[in-house]
Amino acid sequence: MRDYILETEGLTKEFRGFVAVSDVSLRIRRGSIHGLIGPNGAGKTTCFNLLTKFMQPTRGVIRYDGRDITRMPPARVARLGLVRSFQISAVFPHLTVLENVRIALQRERGGSYDFWRSDAVLRRYDERAMALLGDVGLTTYAQAPAGTLPYGRKRALEIATTLALEPVLMLLDEPTAGMTHEDVDRIVELVRRVAQGRTVLMVEHNLKVVEGLCDAITVLTRGRVLAEGPYAEVSRNPEVIAAYLGSDPSVSGGSQGGVAAHA
């Protein structure tokens, strides 16, 4: 079994002369939680879009589990087990929580026209859907319209629908964005739990979350990799501190606790 489940070489994305991602080389170790961090505009979401094939790179190579997926369409990549969530809430608000998860499970039916089918045909997915809701702590919300959930619970529902796609590698885009402290703690524990037996790559602005969850981090700035390694090491890198504070490394206080002190 390969040590690294996802690797990129020279990954680059240009938009009419503007370079959003430049020569990025990543190695995501199998079974780890890996954080992708950086200041606003660093290229993190663009990088995610390239990895999940929502964008095609200008140059470079993406390998997933040893297979070149650089030109592979996004649906095929997802079927291989590389599945992402999105920063913006993406639930069906007028369907129940249970129905949202069931829709994700119905993917195995392919392109069948289920709106012509009896509801009873789809009920066979309910047991698995309820198990997934149990995994994310939403069992008691199963019959509630998804649009009525508090924000933190909606993010948990999105993780449940992502799990329904049976990911080997989960890419989570800002899973704690806009949450209260209580919701952040809940999602952190959820990510830690669902990471068992799979690999997680996450974009996250909350550096305390990154510090507590991630086995390794990659720091992007201006579309380039600035540093990579364990959080304790990278967070004290003077260049990383300067990128976050917008100041010269010599006066950024890197010896006083690093980036974590400014999270």
Side-chain angles (χ1 to χ4, degrees), residues 45-135:
T45 296
T46 301
C47 195
F48 252 39
N49 287 336
L50 293 171
L51 295 176
T52 51
K53 312 323 314 302
F54 284 83
M55 290 180 179
Q56 289 295 335
T58 306
R59 293 184 298 278
V61 177
I62 306 169
R63 293 189 183 90
Y64 169 68
D65 205 16
R67 179 183 302 192
D68 188 338
I69 64 168
T70 310
R71 300 299 169 186
M72 195 175 288
R76 188 176 172 197
V77 168
R79 285 194 293 269
L80 291 175
L82 195 160
V83 183
R84 70 173 292 179
S85 71
F86 292 85
Q87 184 176 352
I88 299 173
S89 182
V91 301
F92 295 103
H94 301 299
L95 298 181
T96 68
V97 169
L98 176 65
E99 288 167 338
N100 268 265
V101 179
R102 196 171 69 186
I103 284 174
L105 291 171
Q106 287 168 213
R107 84 199 185 287
E108 68 181 40
R109 296 181 60 81
S112 62
Y113 294 99
D114 284 331
F115 54 82
W116 292 112
R117 301 277 184 171
S118 164
D119 187 55
V121 174
L122 306 179
R123 290 293 178 187
R124 67 187 180 93
Y125 296 104
D126 284 359
E127 183 176 353
R128 175 62 179 146
M130 286 300 298
L132 287 167
L133 291 178
D135 289 343

